[in-house]
Amino acid sequence: MKFALALLATLVLGGTANLIRGKHATPHSQTDEQWNSQVPEINNPKIQERTWKDGSEYRYLYDGQILTGMPDVHLQFAGSRVRAIVKIQNNGDKDVMQIEKVFVGSLHERFVSDPRSMIQLDAFEPMQEQDAPFEEVLKMPVRFTVENGKVDNFEATETDPSWSINIKRAILNTFHLSLTDKEEPKDQTRRETLKPLRAEQSNEIKPRPTKTAGQQTAEDDQDDYFTVVEDSIAGRCEVSYLVLEQPANKPEEIYPIYENENETKSEQRGQSQRQSAGQELNVLNVTKTFDYRNCEFQPFVFKGIHLTSTCPGCESRPEDFFNILESAAHTRYNITGARQSTDYLIESAISAAVYKITPRSHFAGSLVAYAGAEVTLIQSGPIKGPINFPETNANQIDGLHMINPRFERREGEKFLYEAPEASRPIVQLKKYWPNVDEKPRKVKALFEKLVQGMEEKEIKSDTAVLIEHIIHLLEYSFEEEIQQIHNEIKTVSVAGVEKEEIDHMFADLLVSTGTNCTFTYLKKLIKEKKIQGSTVIDVLGALPFRMQVDKISGVMLQEMSELCMDESVSASPFVERACWLSFGTFVHKACVHRPRAEWDQVEAGQNSPKTQGTSRASQQSRQSSPRQSGARDQPEFENRLCPADVRQTIVQKVTEKLKSFAEDDEKKILIIKVLGNMGLEETIDELAAIAVDMTEPIYIRTQAIYAMRIMGLKYQSEEVLEVLLPLYRESKNPTQIRIAAFLTIMSSKPDLPLLEDIAQSLNREVDLDVASYVYSSLSSVANSTDPCLQNLTRDARIALQFATPLNVEFRHSKSIQKGTFLPHMKSGIFWEQNTIMDKDAPAPRAANLRVHANVNMKSFDIVEFGFETEGLGEAARKFLGNFTTENLAEVISGRAARRPRAAGQMPVESINEIDQLLNLKPQEPKEIRGSAYMKIFGQETRFVVINPQTVSRFIVDLISQQESVIPKLMSGEGLKVDNRRVGMLMDSKLEFPTILGVPIGFTVRLPIVTGMKGLVKASMTPKPEGGLAFFKQMPQQVALEMKVKSNIAAELHAKLSVYIGFLRVGTGCRTKLSLNMPLDGKVDFSLADRSTKVTMNLPESPVKLVKMAYYPVTFVTRHSKNSVTYQPKNIPQGLEGQRRTGKAGQTEQDSSSEEQSRQTGQAKTDRALMLDIDEVETELLTKTGHVSFPKWFNGLPVTIPDLWEIATPAFIKSQDVNFQIGHDSMAAKLEVECEHEYPNTRLSPLYLPVVGAKSRLEVKLTPKAGAKKVTVAIFERNEFAVQSEQELLNKLKDKVEGITIKNLEKPSVPTNYEKMPKMGRSLQVSSI
C-alpha cells in the first residue's frame, strides 16, 4: 500500500506537473498565426479545380515532423520540423514541383505528452537562413510525370544536394497511388524473396461493379482491400490498400480516418470546399499501409565491420540483418473523384510512422523515432506563372526511394557524387554544406588539444571525443588539404611528447579516417620513408580494417600491390610482411565481402554493367555469391567492382610470387597466408597442391590447410572437402596434418552424413591424439549455444551417438569451445582453444586461442593467437637439462653436457646395449621450425617464422641495436617508455529512409586514446659483455625495475539521429570509460637458487583504477555554413527555463506551488543520476541533467551539441553491487562500487545496463595507512625433508632402486629416498 501511494504521488508530482507547463516560445520562433496571416489560404482555401487537370496549378501545405527519444525511460524528445508551401503544376507532359516557403526548426523538450501529434510551430527554434540556406536549396524545382496515379521519370537540377532531393522525393511519394493498376516486381530474380502477396490477381484492378443500395457482391472485399508491390521512399515493398468510396451527399458514411482535432478540421475544410464549389464528386477514403518486412529492395546503408559471417539457418536473406530495426508506416488519404478514373485529386494525406531500434531485445529498451507528415490542399486553379525548370544538366534519377550518393571527386568549388540511380553526378556546392573551410587551422587546434590531453596526469574521456571531430574534418579533405594539415601538424609541440609520437598519432588518425585520399597520402609517406619502423607496420596492419568497402576499387588494389613491391617496403622483412597481409585483406573485403548492392546478375562468364536507361536499384541482388546460394537453378551473380578477370589477375600475380619462393620457407609461408587472407576460390588449387605435397615440411603444409578455412567458411565449397577429407582419413598422415584438415572441414559447416561418418571412424582410430581432438571438438560443438552453429550443434549431437565415448588424459590433443549467448541481449561471446600435444615434450607442439562474437545473428572473429612447431620437444629437454650451466652459448648450440643421471636410473651403457639387441637406431635431431601468428577479425596481421635462419637474424638484429636499446636498458638511466595511440576502435552506421525523405541513422562510435609512459631498467649479475660475448655467460641474477603508468580513455556513443542539411537531432546512450593502471615495482629472478621476487610500491593515496558512467541523452546539433561554430547557450541551473510541450494547442498556466515542489521535494526526479556513491569527476554531468562543455572545448573550432541527459523517474528500481577484494589488515585492498538504474520496474537478471539504463562503476585501489610496498616471493627448493606419507611413497615406486611395492606400503622412509633430488615451491607475501 505504501508503495502504491508513493508511486501515485510520484506520478502526480513528477508526471502531471510536466503537463501543466505554460507555453514558452523559442527565440525568433514562428507561430501558426504568422503563417495564417502570410498564407491566408491555409484557413480559407481557394479551390477552383477539383480534379487533376492539365494546365492547372495546385498548392499544398506540407508539415513534417520527427521526434527521437526513449519513451521507455521518459517522454523527453529531440526533434525537427519542416513546414513548406508546395506548388505543383500539371503541364500535361512533364509536371513540375517547387517549394515556395520553408521553415525548418529544432525542438528539445523535457516532456512531450504525445510525440505522435503535430506540436505547435512556435515550440521549434528556427534555423536562420543566413546560417542554413534551407529555403534557397529547397526552392530548386523538380520535374516528373504522372500516369495512372504513378509518379515516374523524376528529374532534379544539377546543383540540388542529395538531402534536398530526398525530401522532394518523399513529398512526391505521397502522390504515388495504385488505385487503377498495381506494380509487379521489376527484378524477377528477387521475386522469390517476396512473401506471397495477399492478392495475386491480374495487373489491372477491376472496377467495382455497379450495384443498388443494399446489394453486396462477392468482389467487394477484394476491391476494398488489396495488396501490391509499390515504389516508395523506403524502397519497393508490399503495400496494402483499404479503399472506401462514398458519395459526397452522404458524409456520415465516409470512413472515419481522422483521429484528432487538427485532422477533423482538415476534413471539415474539405467538405466546405466541395459544397462551395457546387460539385457532387465522390469521396475516396484510402488507407495505405507499408510492410517493410516484405520488400524487393530497400535503400539501406550499412558501414562498419564487414568481416562478418551470416549465420546459416538463422537468416534467409541479407536484408534480415536489419531486424534490429522495426518500423511501421501508413498514410490516410482524403481523395475527391471516382476510383476508376485517373483524374482524382488528393485533398489531404496524413502519414505516420514509427522507427524503433532494438539493439538487444524488446525487454532491454529501444531507441524510438516518431515521424509524421501532413499534406493539405489549400489552393487550385489555372497556372498563373510557369515554374522555370532548367533543361540543361537535368539529372534523371530512377525510382522514388531514398538515394545515398557516394563521393567521387572535386572540381573547383563543386563536389561530385555518384549514385546508381542517377544519370549523371550529383553536384554538391560548397555553400550548401556546413562550414568545412580552414581545415588545416581547425585540425591543428583540435590535434594540439588532443596531445595536451594525453600528456595530463590522467587522460579524460573528453580527450577521446576530439578524435571524432578530427576524423570528421579529415573525411572531407583532399590530398592537397591533407598535405597542408600535415604541415600544420609538424609545427605542434607539446612539452614531454616526442616528435615521433606526434607523427605516429597523426598516422593513426589518417588510418582511422579510411578514405581514398588518406590512403593515397599514407602511401606517399611510406614510399618517401617519412614514416618508418613500427609506425609503418601499425599503419599497414590497421589500414584495411578502417577502409570502407565501398571505397575499395581495382585501382586501389593495384596501388597496394605496387606499394608492397616498392623498395621502401621490401627493404624490411617485417614491413613487407605487414604490407602483403594487408593486401590480402583488401582483396578479401573487395571481392568477398562486398555489400549486396555491388552484385549484379550476369550471364555465365560475363560481367554486365548497367545498361543505359535502366534502374540500377532493380539490379541489386543478394550479397551471397552463386556458390553460397547453393541452388543450381538460380542465376549467377558477379561482383561488378571485382569481376572475374580482376580476381584472376590478382591470383596469378600472387601465385607467381609463391613459385619464385620455392626455397625460402619464410616467404613461402607469407604468400600462403596472403592467399588465406584473400579467401578467393580461385586459390584452392594452389593451396591444395602444397597441402598434399609430402616433401614439404609439416608446418608449411598445415599453413596451406588453414589458409583454406575462409573458403570453407564463406562458400561451403565442395572443392575444399575434396582436398581435406582424404588428408584426414589417411591414418599415415602426421597428426598435425589430420587435425588441421578436420578443423578446416568443421569450419565449412559439414552436413549430418559427413559428421556421422567422422564419428564412426573414431571407433577404429589408432591415433589417440586425433581421436581425442575430434571427439572433444564434436562434444564442444554439440554443447554450443552459438546461434550461428545451431544446425551444426544439432547434427553433432546426432553424430556423437555413433561414436564410442572417449576419455583420455590431458596430455592428448583437445579442442575446447566455451561461451554464452544472451538472447535478451541479442549477443554472445565465445572462445575456442585447440591444442596439439607433443609426445616428446610437456608443451604442445601447436595451440591456438580464438575469441569470436555473435551480434544480431552475425558472427565475427575478434582476435586469434596461435603457434605451431617442429622439434621443440627435444630442444626444450636439452635446454632444461642444462639450465644451470655457466655457458649460455653451449646451451643454445646443444654442446653442453647433460646433467648427471640420478641415482636409481638405468646407466647409459645398459640403454645402448638394449638398443643394439632390438636393432634400434637413435633418432636424428630435428631442427626447430615453426611459426606464430595473430589474427584480427579473422585476418592475419602479424606472424613470425621460427627456424635457424630467422633465429640467427634475430640475434644479429639484437646485437646491431645494442647501442640504442641494450645499453640504455642496462644503464643507470634506464630505457624510456613513451607510447601514445589514438583511433576509432568502432565506427558503424545503419542508415535507412523515413517518410520525410531525410535519412535516420543508428551509429555506434568508439574513439579511444591510450598512453603509456615511464622508465624501465634492467640489470644482470654478473654484468654481461658487449657484442657476441653477451651470450657466453649465463647470468646468475636478473633484475627488472619499472615505473610505468598506463591510461586508457574512451567514449562509446550509440545514437539514433536524423540529419537535415545543417541540423542533426537524436537520442542515444553515452558511455564514458577511463582506466588508470600504474606499475611501480621491481622483479628479481635468481637463477642460482631458482627464486622469483616481485616488489610493488604502493601509492600514497587511493587510486581510481576504473571509472565508467553510462546514461541516456537527447541532443540537438545546429551547424552553420559560416566560419563561426554554433555553441549552445548557457543552461540555467534551475528548471525555470524548461518547457513542457503537449499536443498542438494544448497550453496550461504555470503553477508556482508545483514549481517549488519540483525544485525541493521532487528535485531527485531530474537529477543526472540518483546514486549514493561519489560522482565521476567530470564536467559533463550536472544535477539538472544538462551536459555542458565549458572548459575543455572552449575556444575550439567545433560545433557543440546541445546535450541533455534523460531524466529518471523517482520510483526507478536499482541494483547495487558493492564489494571489496582484500582485508583491512592487508597492505592494500580493491573496492568495487557499482549501481544500475533501470528504466522500468523489472530488474535485469544480469548486471548489465539495458538501453536507457543508467550505470556507474568505480574500482578503487586503497592502500593501508603507512604501507609502502608489497613483496611476493616464490622460492624453488631442491632439497627438503618430508614426512613419511603413503602418497609420496607410491609416486617413488618406479624410481627407488631395490624397493618393492610391498615395502613401499610400509610407513617408514626408504634409505635411498634421502639421496634422491627433490623439488618443491613455496610462496611468501610480505608488506612494509
Side-chain angles (χ1 to χ4, degrees), residues 492-510:
V492 173
S493 178
V494 177
V497 182
E498 300 291 339
K499 185 65 177 176
E500 293 76 9
E501 289 300 317
I502 292 178
D503 293 339
H504 201 160
M505 292 168 60
F506 182 67
D508 288 340
L509 292 172
L510 292 177

PDB file of all heavy atoms in Angstrom, residues 492-510:
ATOM      1  N   VAL A 492      53.257  21.375 -34.324  1.00  0.00           N
ATOM      2  CA  VAL A 492      52.723  21.144 -32.986  1.00  0.00           C
ATOM      3  C   VAL A 492      53.852  20.686 -32.072  1.00  0.00           C
ATOM      4  O   VAL A 492      54.614  19.773 -32.405  1.00  0.00           O
ATOM      5  CB  VAL A 492      51.600  20.089 -33.020  1.00  0.00           C
ATOM      6  CG1 VAL A 492      51.160  19.724 -31.600  1.00  0.00           C
ATOM      7  CG2 VAL A 492      50.419  20.605 -33.823  1.00  0.00           C
ATOM      8  N   SER A 493      53.968  21.325 -30.954  1.00  0.00           N
ATOM      9  CA  SER A 493      54.995  20.977 -29.979  1.00  0.00           C
ATOM     10  C   SER A 493      54.398  21.051 -28.584  1.00  0.00           C
ATOM     11  O   SER A 493      53.889  22.101 -28.180  1.00  0.00           O
ATOM     12  CB  SER A 493      56.196  21.924 -30.101  1.00  0.00           C
ATOM     13  OG  SER A 493      57.175  21.632 -29.126  1.00  0.00           O
ATOM     14  N   VAL A 494      54.449  19.941 -27.877  1.00  0.00           N
ATOM     15  CA  VAL A 494      53.929  19.855 -26.513  1.00  0.00           C
ATOM     16  C   VAL A 494      55.044  19.314 -25.630  1.00  0.00           C
ATOM     17  O   VAL A 494      55.693  18.315 -25.971  1.00  0.00           O
ATOM     18  CB  VAL A 494      52.690  18.948 -26.442  1.00  0.00           C
ATOM     19  CG1 VAL A 494      52.206  18.812 -25.000  1.00  0.00           C
ATOM     20  CG2 VAL A 494      51.577  19.497 -27.322  1.00  0.00           C
ATOM     21  N   ALA A 495      55.281  19.982 -24.545  1.00  0.00           N
ATOM     22  CA  ALA A 495      56.356  19.575 -23.640  1.00  0.00           C
ATOM     23  C   ALA A 495      56.130  18.156 -23.146  1.00  0.00           C
ATOM     24  O   ALA A 495      55.037  17.799 -22.728  1.00  0.00           O
ATOM     25  CB  ALA A 495      56.434  20.536 -22.449  1.00  0.00           C
ATOM     26  N   GLY A 496      57.173  17.350 -23.226  1.00  0.00           N
ATOM     27  CA  GLY A 496      57.118  15.973 -22.762  1.00  0.00           C
ATOM     28  C   GLY A 496      56.705  14.964 -23.794  1.00  0.00           C
ATOM     29  O   GLY A 496      56.688  13.767 -23.508  1.00  0.00           O
ATOM     30  N   VAL A 497      56.373  15.401 -25.010  1.00  0.00           N
ATOM     31  CA  VAL A 497      55.930  14.491 -26.066  1.00  0.00           C
ATOM     32  C   VAL A 497      56.956  14.510 -27.191  1.00  0.00           C
ATOM     33  O   VAL A 497      57.273  15.577 -27.738  1.00  0.00           O
ATOM     34  CB  VAL A 497      54.539  14.883 -26.612  1.00  0.00           C
ATOM     35  CG1 VAL A 497      54.080  13.890 -27.666  1.00  0.00           C
ATOM     36  CG2 VAL A 497      53.530  14.962 -25.480  1.00  0.00           C
ATOM     37  N   GLU A 498      57.467  13.333 -27.534  1.00  0.00           N
ATOM     38  CA  GLU A 498      58.452  13.224 -28.596  1.00  0.00           C
ATOM     39  C   GLU A 498      57.809  13.475 -29.953  1.00  0.00           C
ATOM     40  O   GLU A 498      56.628  13.223 -30.176  1.00  0.00           O
ATOM     41  CB  GLU A 498      59.105  11.836 -28.573  1.00  0.00           C
ATOM     42  CG  GLU A 498      59.833  11.507 -27.277  1.00  0.00           C
ATOM     43  CD  GLU A 498      61.094  12.343 -27.105  1.00  0.00           C
ATOM     44  OE1 GLU A 498      61.603  12.863 -28.122  1.00  0.00           O
ATOM     45  OE2 GLU A 498      61.558  12.478 -25.956  1.00  0.00           O
ATOM     46  N   LYS A 499      58.637  13.939 -30.888  1.00  0.00           N
ATOM     47  CA  LYS A 499      58.157  14.222 -32.236  1.00  0.00           C
ATOM     48  C   LYS A 499      57.667  12.947 -32.919  1.00  0.00           C
ATOM     49  O   LYS A 499      56.682  12.960 -33.662  1.00  0.00           O
ATOM     50  CB  LYS A 499      59.291  14.868 -33.051  1.00  0.00           C
ATOM     51  CG  LYS A 499      58.871  15.326 -34.433  1.00  0.00           C
ATOM     52  CD  LYS A 499      57.857  16.450 -34.355  1.00  0.00           C
ATOM     53  CE  LYS A 499      57.496  16.967 -35.740  1.00  0.00           C
ATOM     54  NZ  LYS A 499      56.445  17.998 -35.702  1.00  0.00           N
ATOM     55  N   GLU A 500      58.352  11.819 -32.665  1.00  0.00           N
ATOM     56  CA  GLU A 500      57.945  10.556 -33.283  1.00  0.00           C
ATOM     57  C   GLU A 500      56.549  10.138 -32.833  1.00  0.00           C
ATOM     58  O   GLU A 500      55.765   9.586 -33.623  1.00  0.00           O
ATOM     59  CB  GLU A 500      58.958   9.459 -32.950  1.00  0.00           C
ATOM     60  CG  GLU A 500      60.334   9.636 -33.572  1.00  0.00           C
ATOM     61  CD  GLU A 500      61.177  10.688 -32.867  1.00  0.00           C
ATOM     62  OE1 GLU A 500      60.746  11.158 -31.777  1.00  0.00           O
ATOM     63  OE2 GLU A 500      62.240  11.056 -33.395  1.00  0.00           O
ATOM     64  N   GLU A 501      56.213  10.423 -31.574  1.00  0.00           N
ATOM     65  CA  GLU A 501      54.895  10.072 -31.079  1.00  0.00           C
ATOM     66  C   GLU A 501      53.809  10.923 -31.733  1.00  0.00           C
ATOM     67  O   GLU A 501      52.713  10.445 -32.019  1.00  0.00           O
ATOM     68  CB  GLU A 501      54.843  10.233 -29.559  1.00  0.00           C
ATOM     69  CG  GLU A 501      55.643   9.198 -28.796  1.00  0.00           C
ATOM     70  CD  GLU A 501      55.157   7.792 -29.081  1.00  0.00           C
ATOM     71  OE1 GLU A 501      53.930   7.573 -29.118  1.00  0.00           O
ATOM     72  OE2 GLU A 501      56.007   6.911 -29.307  1.00  0.00           O
ATOM     73  N   ILE A 502      54.113  12.191 -31.984  1.00  0.00           N
ATOM     74  CA  ILE A 502      53.151  13.062 -32.669  1.00  0.00           C
ATOM     75  C   ILE A 502      52.893  12.554 -34.082  1.00  0.00           C
ATOM     76  O   ILE A 502      51.749  12.494 -34.548  1.00  0.00           O
ATOM     77  CB  ILE A 502      53.659  14.516 -32.669  1.00  0.00           C
ATOM     78  CG1 ILE A 502      53.650  15.067 -31.236  1.00  0.00           C
ATOM     79  CG2 ILE A 502      52.809  15.386 -33.587  1.00  0.00           C
ATOM     80  CD1 ILE A 502      54.165  16.476 -31.119  1.00  0.00           C
ATOM     81  N   ASP A 503      53.960  12.171 -34.802  1.00  0.00           N
ATOM     82  CA  ASP A 503      53.797  11.633 -36.153  1.00  0.00           C
ATOM     83  C   ASP A 503      52.996  10.330 -36.128  1.00  0.00           C
ATOM     84  O   ASP A 503      52.164  10.087 -37.013  1.00  0.00           O
ATOM     85  CB  ASP A 503      55.169  11.399 -36.791  1.00  0.00           C
ATOM     86  CG  ASP A 503      55.918  12.698 -37.041  1.00  0.00           C
ATOM     87  OD1 ASP A 503      55.253  13.749 -37.110  1.00  0.00           O
ATOM     88  OD2 ASP A 503      57.158  12.660 -37.155  1.00  0.00           O
ATOM     89  N   HIS A 504      53.251   9.505 -35.130  1.00  0.00           N
ATOM     90  CA  HIS A 504      52.536   8.237 -35.024  1.00  0.00           C
ATOM     91  C   HIS A 504      51.055   8.470 -34.773  1.00  0.00           C
ATOM     92  O   HIS A 504      50.187   7.801 -35.357  1.00  0.00           O
ATOM     93  CB  HIS A 504      53.142   7.400 -33.900  1.00  0.00           C
ATOM     94  CG  HIS A 504      52.842   5.939 -34.036  1.00  0.00           C
ATOM     95  ND1 HIS A 504      53.572   4.973 -33.408  1.00  0.00           N
ATOM     96  CD2 HIS A 504      51.874   5.274 -34.706  1.00  0.00           C
ATOM     97  CE1 HIS A 504      53.081   3.779 -33.695  1.00  0.00           C
ATOM     98  NE2 HIS A 504      52.040   3.943 -34.477  1.00  0.00           N
ATOM     99  N   MET A 505      50.727   9.421 -33.916  1.00  0.00           N
ATOM    100  CA  MET A 505      49.328   9.719 -33.628  1.00  0.00           C
ATOM    101  C   MET A 505      48.611  10.255 -34.856  1.00  0.00           C
ATOM    102  O   MET A 505      47.457   9.887 -35.122  1.00  0.00           O
ATOM    103  CB  MET A 505      49.240  10.716 -32.466  1.00  0.00           C
ATOM    104  CG  MET A 505      49.687  10.151 -31.125  1.00  0.00           C
ATOM    105  SD  MET A 505      49.909  11.435 -29.862  1.00  0.00           S
ATOM    106  CE  MET A 505      48.277  12.126 -29.795  1.00  0.00           C
ATOM    107  N   PHE A 506      49.274  11.116 -35.621  1.00  0.00           N
ATOM    108  CA  PHE A 506      48.634  11.644 -36.829  1.00  0.00           C
ATOM    109  C   PHE A 506      48.431  10.534 -37.857  1.00  0.00           C
ATOM    110  O   PHE A 506      47.397  10.499 -38.549  1.00  0.00           O
ATOM    111  CB  PHE A 506      49.483  12.770 -37.420  1.00  0.00           C
ATOM    112  CG  PHE A 506      48.864  13.409 -38.637  1.00  0.00           C
ATOM    113  CD1 PHE A 506      47.701  14.143 -38.537  1.00  0.00           C
ATOM    114  CD2 PHE A 506      49.449  13.261 -39.880  1.00  0.00           C
ATOM    115  CE1 PHE A 506      47.122  14.722 -39.651  1.00  0.00           C
ATOM    116  CE2 PHE A 506      48.889  13.842 -41.004  1.00  0.00           C
ATOM    117  CZ  PHE A 506      47.714  14.574 -40.890  1.00  0.00           C
ATOM    118  N   ALA A 507      49.385   9.604 -37.965  1.00  0.00           N
ATOM    119  CA  ALA A 507      49.213   8.467 -38.871  1.00  0.00           C
ATOM    120  C   ALA A 507      48.032   7.608 -38.425  1.00  0.00           C
ATOM    121  O   ALA A 507      47.266   7.104 -39.269  1.00  0.00           O
ATOM    122  CB  ALA A 507      50.494   7.644 -38.922  1.00  0.00           C
ATOM    123  N   ASP A 508      47.846   7.446 -37.118  1.00  0.00           N
ATOM    124  CA  ASP A 508      46.692   6.701 -36.617  1.00  0.00           C
ATOM    125  C   ASP A 508      45.381   7.362 -37.031  1.00  0.00           C
ATOM    126  O   ASP A 508      44.415   6.682 -37.401  1.00  0.00           O
ATOM    127  CB  ASP A 508      46.751   6.600 -35.091  1.00  0.00           C
ATOM    128  CG  ASP A 508      47.834   5.650 -34.613  1.00  0.00           C
ATOM    129  OD1 ASP A 508      48.274   4.809 -35.411  1.00  0.00           O
ATOM    130  OD2 ASP A 508      48.244   5.762 -33.443  1.00  0.00           O
ATOM    131  N   LEU A 509      45.331   8.680 -36.984  1.00  0.00           N
ATOM    132  CA  LEU A 509      44.118   9.395 -37.371  1.00  0.00           C
ATOM    133  C   LEU A 509      43.847   9.253 -38.865  1.00  0.00           C
ATOM    134  O   LEU A 509      42.687   9.113 -39.284  1.00  0.00           O
ATOM    135  CB  LEU A 509      44.243  10.869 -36.993  1.00  0.00           C
ATOM    136  CG  LEU A 509      44.254  11.170 -35.489  1.00  0.00           C
ATOM    137  CD1 LEU A 509      44.573  12.635 -35.245  1.00  0.00           C
ATOM    138  CD2 LEU A 509      42.928  10.812 -34.854  1.00  0.00           C
ATOM    139  N   LEU A 510      44.890   9.284 -39.686  1.00  0.00           N
ATOM    140  CA  LEU A 510      44.708   9.084 -41.127  1.00  0.00           C
ATOM    141  C   LEU A 510      44.168   7.689 -41.403  1.00  0.00           C
ATOM    142  O   LEU A 510      43.293   7.511 -42.269  1.00  0.00           O
ATOM    143  CB  LEU A 510      46.030   9.302 -41.858  1.00  0.00           C
ATOM    144  CG  LEU A 510      46.579  10.732 -41.885  1.00  0.00           C
ATOM    145  CD1 LEU A 510      47.930  10.770 -42.587  1.00  0.00           C
ATOM    146  CD2 LEU A 510      45.612  11.691 -42.581  1.00  0.00           C
TER     147      LEU A 510
END
